[in-house]
Amino acid sequence: QQQVKQSPQSLIVQKGGISIINCAYENTAFDYFPWYQQFPGKGPALLIAIRPDVSEKKEGRFTISFNKSAKQFSLHIMDSQPGDSATYFCAASYSGNTPLVFGKGTRLSVIA
Amino acid sequence: DAGVIQSPRHEVTEMGQEVTLRCKPISGHDYLFWYRQTMMRGLELLIYFNNNVPIDDSGMPEDRFSAKMPNASFSTLKIQPSEPRDSAVYFCASSFWQPNSPLHFGNGTRLTVT
């Protein structure tokens, strides 16, 4: 049973465009929603995270939008660059330091 | 800080052989996690430890898999006997005990079982 569903599986975006990756969750107890970025040959690394008391969090070109009622959250990458080409994972967990549950990942390719 | 260190980076073995993957977490981290990554299933949590004690191993796929953490600076994941369907990238990650502390992943071990 997949607790966090991520889409799309792969995404191709032109340089300078907006990349959007979506995730949906079932467990309403989740209260922490991070995004991890993984480059080829490397382990995932924390990119940005949000808690459900806010609807949006922005860090540079990366923004998380959170919709609690719809149980959905998304990652927006503005002005996408070839260096953003990577696999992105959404994840969720709930208080008490429970392990993260990851989505299946989205492979993003930004082409010039 | 050298980060989480995993060895070997690549392992190719024949079906039926024993495989041991190794991990050195970041010093001071209280939690250690073993994940498996495949195209079909994404990142799956296999087992995690808190202060060297296994907390949840419900993600370990079969009895062929076992993990140990004899001390705070070392953990192993063993597969015996290995099967072709075990081929995947295995990641070790560590974190502090505080809720929602970031996971720090190693660069993984790519296992190929022929």
Side-chain angles (χ1 to χ4, degrees):
Chain A
Q1 182 181 0
Q2 189 179 359
Q3 297 192 56
V4 180
K5 294 184 178 181
Q6 184 172 347
S7 63
Q9 193 172 17
S10 62
L11 181 62
I12 300 174
V13 174
Q14 292 277 350
K15 179 182 175 181
I18 302 174
S19 303
I20 302 174
I21 305 171
N22 301 299
C23 280
Y25 63 96
E26 293 292 328
N27 190 342
T28 56
F30 287 147
D31 61 2
Y32 176 68
F33 303 91
W35 286 88
Y36 279 72
Q37 180 188 52
Q38 181 185 29
F39 293 106
K42 303 292 186 181
L46 178 64
L47 179 65
I48 186 173
I50 196 170
R51 296 187 65 90
D53 51 346
V54 296
S55 60
E56 186 175 282
K57 183 174 182 179
K58 183 176 181 179
E59 290 185 1
R61 297 183 294 108
F62 299 90
T63 300
I64 300 179
S65 296
F66 185 80
N67 186 329
K68 189 174 182 178
S69 61
K71 294 188 288 186
Q72 295 176 348
F73 58 110
S74 59
L75 175 69
H76 296 238
I77 306 174
M78 311 299 288
D79 187 26
S80 300
Q81 299 296 313
D84 298 330
S85 298
T87 299
Y88 293 81
F89 293 93
C90 63
S93 68
Y94 49 92
S95 296
N97 220 13
T98 57
L100 288 172
V101 176
F102 284 90
K104 288 190 174 183
T106 296
R107 179 172 290 185
L108 171 65
S109 297
V110 181
I111 56 176
Chain B
D1 185 353
V4 175
I5 299 173
Q6 291 187 246
S7 63
R9 286 300 312 273
H10 303 274
E11 177 77 47
V12 180
T13 190
E14 292 183 347
M15 182 174 64
Q17 296 298 306
E18 177 180 297
V19 175
T20 299
L21 311 181
R22 297 172 175 79
C23 174
K24 176 179 169 58
I26 292 174
S27 177
H29 280 185
D30 306 276
Y31 282 87
L32 184 139
F33 305 81
W34 282 100
Y35 283 89
R36 177 171 69 175
Q37 183 178 19
T38 61
M39 288 294 292
M40 289 295 295
R41 302 174 71 90
L43 273 169
E44 299 176 275
L45 177 65
L46 300 177
I47 185 172
Y48 74 101
F49 296 82
N50 177 215
N51 291 324
N52 313 338
V53 176
I55 303 301
D56 185 354
D57 66 354
S58 61
M60 297 285 260
E62 300 173 33
D63 291 345
R64 299 183 295 105
F65 286 69
S66 62
K68 295 181 179 180
M69 192 166 185
N71 56 63
S73 59
F74 184 66
S75 178
T76 60
L77 178 67
K78 185 176 293 187
I79 308 172
Q80 166 63 21
S82 58
E83 296 183 3
R85 59 193 166 123
D86 302 331
S87 297
V89 181
Y90 291 81
F91 286 101
C92 175
S94 67
S95 73
F96 287 113
W97 69 269
Q98 291 94 337
N100 306 325
S101 293
L103 284 184
H104 295 263
F105 283 83
N107 286 329
T109 295
R110 181 175 294 276
L111 174 64
T112 302
V113 183
T114 61

